[in-house]
Amino acid sequence: MSLDRLPQLPFGAVYFRKSNPPREDWERDYGIAAEDGLNVFRHWFMWSAIEQRPGVYVWDEYDRQLDLAAKNGLKTIIAELIHAVPDWAYRKFAHARQLRTDGHPLASGMGVSAATGGFAHNGTGALTLNCPEVKEAAGAFLTALAKRYKGHPGLLGYDVWNEVNYSPEVDYSEWMKADYRRWLKAKYGDLETLGRSWYRYSYAEWDDIEPPPEVAAYPENLDWLAFKRENYYGQMQWRIDTIRAVDQDCLIAAHGIGGAIQNMAAGGSDDWLAASKVEVYGLTWVPSRRGFKPWQNFFGPDITRAASRGKPWWHAERPGGPLWLQPQVIGRDKEDGRVMDPEDVRTLTMTSFAAGATGVMNLRYRPLLDGPLFGAFGSYGMDGSRTPRSDEASRIARWANDPAQKRLWEARPVKGDIALLVIPEAQTWDYLLNAHHKPELYREAMWGAYRGFLDNGLQPDWVHIDHIDDYDTLYAPYPIMLTGQHAKALAS
């Protein structure tokens, strides 16, 4: 897609998550959003909500969203959610459930951010895409989705992975194990070579190999983590390719959680790899869960900018309202990101702009009316009415899309004074050494260095170790493990 077809500054919100907001409010909400200067909505197109019987797709509510977008001059990001699995598929493909380490199958339950069935709360769904039958069924849904909305005047593009990550506890299904063994055979060639590398000498058949059941600092654990990364990011690429096979002209985006420092090893939050696959990357960043100190507000945007490597990126989910009934806020002052006011909306938005964001979407247009996140995050009221927070967002949206600001969005943040070196192997080794995820020295060392430089007036840029040639001054806060190749590159 030609990125010049994007609005000058995409500014909007997450809107429809079946069955919120209520149908009778949609036309009014779209009209208010357009009046207030919003130009983009993102909706969750959940497999479990659309393919209600095998091969029977119910599109009417989603059609209405795109039609209203076109009518009101908004564009739509379709967040495809094949990890929201239909109940019939959960029964039909019961042999393909993802399994935890102890062999316990994942259950299909209600969503936290959408009161809809089919969720397993692990980032990849209750069923394994390593099973060809499941992949074929999910691919059929993605193909039908892309065919239906290709060329629609309300369509901007697709978000192909919501909050890029996967659970450390899965997947131990036979499908995943079979692919793991094939991956190992391609890497090592024969069991004798693998046995010497792993210090395990009694494998008689490839089927003797099992994924490691515990987190521990051994070569087999390194291979398991590397395989999982390739496996799930390969599935991300498959989603992109499936959509692109139908629609070569739409935008392809994804967004993470700014999680590369704390969750790249265990949960696959590799912002650099994810951003490399899409045209626009982004992040979810919620101070009520992360804290509202200046360094905390800059960290997520800064690492997303770094991972995007010059591509446009947006604050894909920025809160505009409170998070007031969740465990993360217990014992915290309301000023610590727990309760948003107009000034907080402005601070968060302008911080992201200062870090280079070229788009912003509120985490909710208006709060959910059911489920655990009842009442959370919306800048508009529970009934869709305007609030002082939405008024502030509207003011920023209008300012950002004034033609007078065009040159501002063509600018980029200056290069930082020092590069904070992101070494995936160091995080991996720290994770494997600390089976109970404490004291998480890598994360604390990295965050401490970032805060130290930032608080003392120096701009630190996060730099992946593959990109060290971009900077003259590097600082590695916790270099406990390197590949031989990276060690040679640093030495030279």
Side-chain angles (χ1 to χ4, degrees):
M1 174 188 174
S2 175
L3 294 176
D4 58 14
R5 282 193 280 145
L6 285 167
Q8 175 170 297
L9 195 293
F11 200 106
V14 174
Y15 185 71
F16 183 57
R17 292 185 177 176
K18 189 181 178 88
S19 54
N20 282 286
R23 178 189 289 264
E24 58 269 21
D25 294 348
W26 295 349
E27 187 149 6
R28 183 205 61 183
D29 287 351
Y30 271 85
I32 290 175
E35 289 175 6
D36 286 358
L38 278 63
N39 53 33
V40 177
F41 271 168
R42 185 170 79 245
H43 317 292
W44 280 10
F45 282 63
M46 295 170 281
W47 185 20
S48 62
I50 294 172
E51 192 173 357
Q52 297 182 3
R53 302 288 184 275
V56 178
Y57 303 102
V58 180
W59 303 104
D60 60 320
E61 294 184 321
Y62 301 88
D63 290 350
R64 184 70 174 140
Q65 303 304 323
L66 272 86
D67 291 344
L68 283 168
K71 177 182 176 181
N72 289 278
L74 276 74
K75 292 295 185 181
T76 303
I77 294 289
I78 292 176
E80 61 78 18
L81 259 65
I82 57 172
H83 68 259
V85 177
D87 292 308
W88 60 261
Y90 188 68
R91 168 188 52 79
K92 182 177 181 180
F93 305 121
H95 58 285
R97 297 178 188 180
Q98 292 204 47
L99 303 180
R100 294 189 174 90
T101 315
D102 60 4
H104 186 76
L106 293 183
S108 175
M110 296 296 288
V112 174
S113 295
T116 305
F119 289 87
H121 311 304
N122 69 327
T124 55
L127 300 182
T128 177
L129 285 174
N130 293 81
C131 172
E133 294 172 274
V134 174
K135 196 170 188 179
E136 181 181 4
F141 167 72
L142 289 178
T143 299
L145 176 68
K147 285 181 177 178
R148 187 165 190 89
Y149 298 113
K150 178 183 178 180
H152 193 292
L155 176 66
L156 179 58
Y158 292 82
D159 187 300
V160 295
W161 195 347
N162 182 72
E163 298 187 355
V164 176
N165 73 96
Y166 46 79
S167 170
E169 298 180 0
V170 295
D171 170 23
Y172 291 82
S173 69
E174 290 304 318
W175 304 101
M176 185 77 157
K177 290 179 183 180
D179 283 346
Y180 180 45
R181 291 165 187 145
R182 281 188 282 271
W183 184 86
L184 291 170
K185 190 172 184 179
K187 178 175 181 178
Y188 291 101
D190 57 72
L191 286 171
E192 290 73 18
T193 302
L194 181 146
R196 287 194 300 272
S197 299
W198 281 15
Y199 314 118
R200 300 188 71 148
Y201 306 105
S202 54
Y203 290 133
E205 304 287 345
W206 287 100
D207 285 347
D208 294 336
I209 298 172
E210 294 285 327
E214 61 181 348
V215 176
Y218 299 112
E220 63 186 57
N221 293 79
L222 292 172
D223 275 334
W224 175 238
L225 292 177
F227 164 73
K228 286 178 67 175
R229 176 179 178 271
E230 288 190 26
N231 179 73
Y232 287 118
Y233 279 91
Q235 292 171 5
M236 179 190 189
Q237 187 63 53
W238 166 79
R239 296 179 193 213
I240 295 170
D241 293 342
T242 302
I243 294 169
R244 276 277 182 253
V246 175
D247 190 345
Q248 296 79 40
D249 199 39
C250 64
L251 177 74
I252 298 292
H255 69 280
I257 52 174
I261 299 305
Q262 64 271 35
N263 196 42
M264 187 189 295
S269 295
D270 188 335
D271 292 307
W272 276 265
L273 180 55
S276 73
K277 293 180 176 293
V278 297
E279 295 164 283
V280 176
Y281 194 53
L283 84 159
T284 296
W285 195 259
V286 182
S288 52
R289 292 171 174 158
R290 305 296 189 103
F292 205 68
K293 297 180 177 66
W295 79 268
Q296 291 167 321
N297 283 337
F298 265 106
F299 166 74
D302 267 351
I303 202 163
T304 306
R305 169 175 58 87
S308 296
R309 302 274 294 154
K311 291 181 178 179
W313 65 273
W314 48 33
H315 197 149
E317 293 188 338
R318 184 264 298 141
L323 181 67
W324 55 290
L325 285 175
Q326 291 288 293
Q328 300 101 322
V329 306
I330 300 301
R332 283 175 49 179
D333 293 336
K334 67 178 183 178
E335 290 80 11
D336 190 18
R338 184 167 69 98
V339 176
M340 294 279 110
D341 60 28
E343 183 177 350
D344 296 327
V345 171
R346 181 169 65 254
T347 298
L348 280 178
T349 306
M350 299 308 289
T351 297
S352 291
F353 287 159
T358 52
V360 169
M361 279 181 277
N362 187 15
L363 190 56
R364 303 281 188 276
Y365 177 82
R366 48 187 278 190
L368 299 180
L369 301 178
D370 45 24
L373 289 175
F374 166 85
F377 299 138
S379 59
Y380 290 81
M382 296 286 282
D383 60 354
S385 59
R386 290 182 171 99
T387 70
R389 300 186 309 277
S390 70
D391 290 343
E392 180 63 20
S394 173
R395 190 170 72 89
I396 298 172
R398 293 179 183 282
W399 166 81
N401 279 291
D402 188 314
Q405 308 306 331
K406 185 176 186 296
R407 290 187 61 203
L408 176 64
W409 306 124
E410 293 171 350
R412 293 293 180 267
V414 300
K415 186 176 179 179
D417 302 290
I418 191 166
L420 288 183
L421 207 53
V422 177
I423 307 171
E425 292 77 17
Q427 182 183 152
T428 297
W429 201 240
D430 182 63
Y431 168 67
L432 295 178
L433 285 172
N434 296 287
H436 300 292
H437 315 300
K438 295 179 181 178
E440 297 182 322
L441 295 178
Y442 175 87
R443 184 195 71 184
E444 296 303 323
M446 298 294 281
W447 281 357
Y450 176 77
R451 182 180 178 182
F453 287 118
L454 195 71
D455 286 355
N456 282 283
L458 294 170
Q459 180 181 322
D461 285 352
W462 297 101
V463 176
H464 195 284
I465 195 167
D466 287 338
H467 309 140
I468 58 175
D469 289 343
D470 295 348
Y471 285 80
D472 297 323
T473 306
L474 309 174
Y475 181 68
Y478 197 56
I480 64 169
M481 185 179 183
L482 291 164
T483 66
Q485 180 182 0
H486 285 152
K488 289 179 181 177
L490 282 172
S492 66

